[in-house]
């Protein structure tokens, strides 16, 4: 018994001021429904008490309903058992509220509409029987049932929305994990291919006793020092991505005997700006591969520029400029890179490419 009382008290304490105010206003509106009838007896003494009675009665019925309904409303029960308990609590609350209202109003001796009609005729109304009391209880049960049903529907809708939001968050997290796995797989594929091909070139340079062999080996080691730690990372910074591009261009210049001058252009504050990994390097790799296939040469200059945009300058725009035209194309690798970019930003990021006289511009727009 004490456990039930503690649960009931805990349920009552959980009633928020907003819920209490909403209930009082609803009961007040319900009490206003029968007020127009009192216009016909406004000439009878005591009609003000009848108005007060009509406004007080729904409040007392609501109080009785809350005593039985709140513990069920705040419980964690679901399914059929919860429905049956809600029905039982509604019926019990309506009966309790009706009894409480009748007791308080009888003690106050406030007349109702029918009593004023009898008084207007100069007669005394006979005492009310149990039929009238049961009729009043059924009359109170209707709004109580509607209130409980509407509240339960709102609770279920809120619960369903919360579950949907949780599923969407889980889906987003799983999508990010899948993207990180694909990036890690791509990194694992790119680095060994570059490593083996370049090692073969360096070995050949040493066999030929080339004076450039030690420098080429040093540039390869520098690139591996920058690239290999990123195999275990899920994020990156602009400064790191730039160093990766620089070291990669140095290695590719050695392999193809075609020097590429690399430069940057951005505010100092953007050096530590975070961005998704493996977006710039695959773009550069694709452009160099396309340049070598079409023109059998590499661009002599490459520039990476970064600017902020959007509200509060929270967005980041990256432009990779290469000194060769016609490197845009629309092959599968570029489409895959654009899809990866959309995955990283919930579909808001964009990848654009345009070619001018002597240059190709790749622009990545990363929203806030």
């Amino acid at each position: 018994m004490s456990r039930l009382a503690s649960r009931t008290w805990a349920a009552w304490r959980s009633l928020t001021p907003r819920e209490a105010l909403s209930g009082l206003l609803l009961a007040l509106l319900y009490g206003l429904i029968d007020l127009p009838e009192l216009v016909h007896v406004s000439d009878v003494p005591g009609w003000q008490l009848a108005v007060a009675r009509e406004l007080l009665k729904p409040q007392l019925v609501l109080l009785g309903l809350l005593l039985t309904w709140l513990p069920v409303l705040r419980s964690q029960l679901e399914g059929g058992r919860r429905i049956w308990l809600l029905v039982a609590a509604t019926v019990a609350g309506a009966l309790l509220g009706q009894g409480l209202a009748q007791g308080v109003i009888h003690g106050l001796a406030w007349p109702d509409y029918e009593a004023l009609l009898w008084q207007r005729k100069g007669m005394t109304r006979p005492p009310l029987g149990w039929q009238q009391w049961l009729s009043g209880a059924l009359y109170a049960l209707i709004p109580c049932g509607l209130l409980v049903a509407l509240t339960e529907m709102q609770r279920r809708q809120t619960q369903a929305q919360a579950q949907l939001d949780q599923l969407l968050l889980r889906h987003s997290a799983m999508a990010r994990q899948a993207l990180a796995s694909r990036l890690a797989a791509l990194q694992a594929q790119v680095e060994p291919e570059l490593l083996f091909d370049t090692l073969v070139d360096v070995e050949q340079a040493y066999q030929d006793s080339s004076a450039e062999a030690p420098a080429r080996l040093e540039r390869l080691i520098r690139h591996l020092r920058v690239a290999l730690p990123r195999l275990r990372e899920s994020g990156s910074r602009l400064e790191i991505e730039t160093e990766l591009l620089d070291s990669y261009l140095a290695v590719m210049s050695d392999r193809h005997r075609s020097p590429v001058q690399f430069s940057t252009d951005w505010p100092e504050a953007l050096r530590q700006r975070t961005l998704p990994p493996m977006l710039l390097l695959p773009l550069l790799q694709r452009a160099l591969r396309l340049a070598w296939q079409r023109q059998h040469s590499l661009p002599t200059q490459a520039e990476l520029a970064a600017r902020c945009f959007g509200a509060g300058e929270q967005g980041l725009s990256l432009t990779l400029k290469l000194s060769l035209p016609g490197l845009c194309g629309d092959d599968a690798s570029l489409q895959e890179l654009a899809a990866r970019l959309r995955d990283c930003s919930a579909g808001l990021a964009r990848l654009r490419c345009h070619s001018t006289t002597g240059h190709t511009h790749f622009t990545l727009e990363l929203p806030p």
Side-chain angles (χ1 to χ4, degrees), residues 168-195:
L168 291 176
L169 288 176
R170 291 176 57 187
H171 179 270
S172 178
M174 293 176 64
R176 288 194 297 269
Q177 292 176 0
L179 177 61
S181 300
R182 294 205 307 270
L183 294 177
L186 181 61
Q187 288 170 318
Q189 293 171 3
V190 170
E191 295 299 338
E193 179 183 356
L194 176 65
L195 172 62

Side-chain angles (χ1 to χ4, degrees), residues 26-229:
L26 183 62
L28 182 62
L29 291 175
Y30 189 75
L32 294 175
I33 295 177
D34 294 331
L35 286 186
E37 296 182 350
L38 296 176
V39 176
H40 304 291
V41 292
S42 58
D43 57 338
V44 180
W47 67 270
Q48 297 90 343
L49 296 177
V51 172
R53 173 194 174 104
E54 293 297 329
L55 297 178
L56 177 63
K57 184 176 179 180
Q59 311 291 340
L60 297 175
V61 172
L62 176 65
L63 180 62
L65 176 65
L66 291 177
L67 284 172
T68 59
W69 173 42
L70 269 181
V72 182
L73 178 65
R74 296 293 194 257
S75 68
Q76 302 298 323
L77 297 175
E78 297 292 343
R81 185 180 179 186
R82 181 181 180 87
I83 294 177
W84 282 111
L85 286 177
L86 284 173
V87 171
T90 304
V91 174
L95 295 176
L96 178 62
Q98 176 67 10
L100 179 63
Q102 290 291 342
V104 172
I105 291 175
H106 179 75
L108 295 174
W110 288 354
D112 58 5
Y113 173 69
E114 294 184 359
L116 292 179
L117 286 178
W118 284 88
Q119 183 179 347
R120 191 177 190 181
K121 298 177 181 179
M123 304 172 62
T124 302
R125 185 179 64 179
L128 298 177
W130 64 272
Q131 297 90 344
Q132 288 79 9
W133 185 89
L134 182 60
S135 175
L138 293 176
Y139 186 70
L141 180 62
I142 295 175
C144 290
L146 290 175
L147 176 60
V148 171
L150 291 175
T151 304
E152 186 66 14
M153 289 175 59
Q154 184 179 10
R155 186 193 73 89
R156 293 192 177 189
Q157 183 179 4
T158 303
Q159 189 178 47
Q161 184 63 42
Q163 293 176 352
L164 178 60
D165 293 341
Q166 187 176 8
L167 287 176
L168 291 176
L169 288 176
R170 291 176 57 187
H171 179 270
S172 178
M174 293 176 64
R176 288 194 297 269
Q177 292 176 0
L179 177 61
S181 300
R182 294 205 307 270
L183 294 177
L186 181 61
Q187 288 170 318
Q189 293 171 3
V190 170
E191 295 299 338
E193 179 183 356
L194 176 65
L195 172 62
F196 293 138
D197 291 344
T198 308
L199 280 176
V200 171
D201 293 341
V202 173
E203 182 183 10
Q204 186 64 43
Y206 271 101
Q207 290 178 356
D208 297 340
S209 300
S210 173
E212 290 292 325
R216 293 178 64 179
L217 180 60
E218 182 62 29
R219 283 189 284 267
L220 175 61
I221 293 175
R222 172 176 173 256
H223 177 67
L224 294 178
R225 286 175 177 172
V226 175
L228 290 180

Side-chain angles (χ1 to χ4, degrees), residues 190-191 193-195 198 219-220 222-224 226-227 241-256 260 262 280-289 298:
V190 170
E191 295 299 338
E193 179 183 356
L194 176 65
L195 172 62
T198 308
R219 283 189 284 267
L220 175 61
R222 172 176 173 256
H223 177 67
L224 294 178
V226 175
E241 291 294 302
T242 302
E243 188 177 1
L244 181 61
L245 295 185
D246 188 23
S247 63
Y248 177 79
L249 283 172
V251 173
M252 294 300 293
S253 297
D254 288 340
R255 288 191 58 196
H256 295 289
V260 181
F262 181 66
L280 295 173
L281 182 59
L283 187 61
L284 178 61
Q285 289 172 334
R286 174 196 169 277
L288 296 184
R289 183 173 62 251
L298 298 182

